[in-house]
Amino acid sequence: MFLHPRDTQEVVCLADKQQISHLAYHMHYCLKHIWNKKKKRYEILKKIETIPVSRDLQEIANDVARQREQAFVHWAQTGYVKKLKAHPIGKIVHGLGAGHVRETSLTIHPVYGVPYIPASSVKGVVRHWFIEAYCDGKEENLLSHETGALVFGTQERRGVVQFHDIFLTNGLQLVPDVLTVHMKKYYERKQAATDDLSPTPVTFFTVMVSDVDIYITCDRAISLTTEQAKQLLDKAASWTISALTEFGIGSKTSSGYGYFTNIQDVTESDFLPLVKKEKEREAKKLLEEREKEQERQRQEEEARLAQLPPEERLVRQIEMLTNSQQDQEKSKSVLYQEVIAQQNKQAAQALKAYWQRIGQWNVKPSKQKQYEKVQTIRSLLES
């Protein structure tokens, strides 16, 4: 805790360690010690226990999952998104070799406090699988592979496909595990392998989850057609499925950790319906904002009209008429009656122009009512 702010040190030291939700504190700080009388120092207990996942942390993880999903839904408005659902075969270990007092660590998100696989690791394992599958296992051959260089990028340009962090939160459990090195000194090249070498158990934490969500994206702001971008994203998703199934990800893959199975593309079934709903919500919001703006402009115009003399106000009201059926009826009833009552020639000229615009000026005598109104306006204008 020495590198923490003083107030954080005080809070953590006084807190009930079992009530701390952030898993990084359990991994790095809330460690049990014993006093070694012989060496006259505190030592970390070699045996580790299961770290409980609190309800608060699970709620945070659920909120993060929803926020990420919503963020990708927004991304899909201006880009392309592919969502995969993967199921681990067993336990996952990532970041085992990172710095830790036990010399066995685990990658914990610094903000959310949950285990995760960084995007760089995801891209790295997919890229490694691609080089083995399509480039004869040679790094330099990637430059000459047009599709691979486009997806993963080169020293000169970045890749057009983005891989994202995988959060390990669904059904999360942190479970202790142990691997035993039977001839440590032999592997360290200190002495020959003999039967009297003592086994060295190494304890470490593993992650168990029910399933994970994997997101892969591609920007639209690139020199690719929609069809080309979607094809690249489909290929990247296919390579990701193969890499996680065949190579696994994280530490100890040679011992069976970090492999996935039953990886499915759920973009059509799970993700795109959310994108469609978001588009409908945005369209509705835009319509509501437009209606509010129109109502505001209407109220401002009514307030301005109220300050005008009656004659000028009538002219302005006629000039503001639209081609809607409601305005057409209004021009033939209320506004027409006001024009006649005021004997307002300027308003009569405006009404004539409006009726000409909507095709109600040069009407036949068969349309008796409108024909009579037109004649009355003519007489007013000629008087």
Side-chain angles (χ1 to χ4, degrees):
M1 296 298 297
F2 294 111
L3 299 180
H4 284 66
R6 182 170 297 175
D7 56 350
T8 305
Q9 294 183 39
E10 294 173 355
V11 169
V12 174
C13 290
L14 295 174
D16 179 356
K17 304 303 185 288
Q18 295 301 317
Q19 298 299 318
I20 297 177
S21 298
H22 201 295
L23 294 180
Y25 285 90
H26 292 280
M27 284 291 305
H28 297 280
Y29 305 108
C30 303
L31 304 175
K32 293 184 178 181
H33 300 71
I34 57 171
W35 177 255
N36 188 320
K37 294 182 179 179
K38 186 177 180 180
K39 296 182 180 180
K40 295 184 179 180
R41 67 183 185 187
Y42 281 102
E43 294 182 345
I44 304 292
L45 281 175
K46 293 183 178 180
K47 182 180 179 181
I48 59 177
E49 300 176 352
T50 301
I51 296 177
V53 178
S54 69
R55 182 180 300 175
D56 290 341
L57 183 62
Q58 194 60 59
E59 290 178 356
I60 291 172
N62 293 339
D63 289 341
V64 170
R66 285 191 292 269
Q67 290 173 7
R68 291 187 80 226
E69 185 174 61
Q70 191 61 33
F72 284 113
V73 166
H74 284 296
W75 186 312
Q77 311 299 322
T78 56
Y80 307 99
V81 180
K82 183 73 69 173
K83 180 180 180 181
L84 307 176
K85 178 77 74 173
H87 299 81
I89 293 177
K91 301 172 183 177
I92 302 171
V93 186
H94 189 280
L96 188 65
H100 193 272
V101 68
R102 292 185 185 277
E103 298 182 357
T104 56
S105 188
L106 190 68
T107 304
I108 304 293
H109 197 281
V111 176
Y112 304 124
V114 296
Y116 79 112
I117 301 173
S120 57
S121 294
V122 180
K123 182 176 181 179
V125 72
V126 178
R127 184 175 181 274
H128 175 55
W129 179 92
F130 179 85
I131 291 173
E132 291 294 327
Y134 292 98
C135 303
D136 299 325
K138 298 178 181 178
E139 179 87 17
E140 58 272 16
N141 290 349
L142 177 61
L143 297 175
S144 59
H145 195 292
E146 182 179 355
T147 305
L150 192 60
V151 170
F152 299 108
T154 63
Q155 291 293 335
E156 289 74 29
R157 65 180 184 185
R158 69 183 183 91
V160 300
V161 173
Q162 297 84 41
F163 298 84
H164 297 268
D165 297 341
I166 300 177
F167 281 75
L168 308 174
T169 57
N170 297 336
L172 172 63
Q173 297 180 60
L174 254 62
V175 182
D177 208 337
V178 60
L179 286 177
T180 302
V181 182
H182 289 274
M183 298 179 181
K184 182 180 180 182
K185 292 185 178 179
Y186 166 74
Y187 292 118
E188 292 176 348
R189 300 180 180 231
K190 292 182 178 180
Q191 68 178 67
T194 59
D195 292 337
D196 62 345
L197 291 178
S198 301
T200 305
V202 178
T203 56
F204 56 95
F205 281 106
T206 64
V207 178
M208 293 184 66
V209 289
S210 57
D211 55 68
V212 297
D213 295 327
I214 303 171
Y215 291 97
I216 309 171
T217 58
C218 180
D219 290 328
R220 288 187 183 177
I222 53 177
S223 57
L224 294 173
T225 65
T226 298
E227 189 61 30
Q228 289 173 330
K230 288 183 177 180
Q231 288 178 358
L232 282 180
L233 205 55
D234 287 339
K235 289 181 179 179
S238 176
W239 300 340
T240 302
I241 293 173
S242 297
L244 295 179
T245 303
E246 299 173 16
F247 283 13
I249 192 169
S251 309
K252 300 293 182 183
T253 53
S254 60
S255 300
Y257 295 89
Y259 285 87
F260 291 81
T261 187
N262 192 26
I263 306 177
Q264 299 177 341
D265 185 344
V266 296
T267 308
E268 295 285 343
S269 59
D270 293 2
F271 185 73
L272 290 184
L274 297 177
V275 176
K276 181 181 178 182
K277 186 180 294 185
E278 178 64 16
K279 287 182 178 179
E280 292 173 350
R281 190 189 69 81
E282 288 291 337
K284 182 179 179 181
K285 179 181 177 182
L286 188 62
L287 179 61
E288 291 175 350
E289 290 178 352
R290 188 181 296 117
E291 290 175 347
K292 286 182 180 179
E293 178 62 20
Q294 290 175 350
E295 177 63 20
R296 184 188 65 79
Q297 292 177 356
R298 187 189 65 80
Q299 291 178 356
E300 289 181 354
E301 185 63 23
E302 286 183 353
R304 194 176 70 82
L305 289 175
Q307 298 176 357
L308 296 175
E311 294 77 9
E312 293 183 23
R313 181 166 61 247
L314 180 58
V315 174
R316 182 59 183 155
Q317 286 176 326
I318 295 173
E319 291 175 344
M320 290 173 58
L321 292 174
T322 66
N323 293 349
S324 67
Q325 189 63 34
Q326 182 179 0
D327 279 2
Q328 291 185 31
E329 294 299 325
K330 184 178 180 181
S331 72
K332 298 175 184 179
S333 55
V334 178
L335 296 180
Y336 167 76
Q337 293 170 5
E338 287 190 31
V339 170
I340 301 305
Q342 292 182 10
Q343 290 293 295
N344 188 333
K345 288 189 176 183
Q346 189 177 359
Q349 186 62 44
L351 189 58
K352 174 185 175 181
Y354 176 70
W355 282 350
Q356 287 176 332
R357 194 177 81 202
I358 64 174
Q360 295 294 317
W361 179 253
N362 296 317
V363 295
K364 296 180 180 180
S366 57
K367 295 184 177 180
Q368 184 179 356
K369 290 185 178 180
Q370 181 62 16
Y371 181 80
E372 291 176 354
K373 291 176 182 178
V374 170
Q375 298 309 313
T376 303
I377 294 298
R378 285 182 189 273
S379 300
L380 177 58
L381 291 172
E382 293 171 357
S383 61

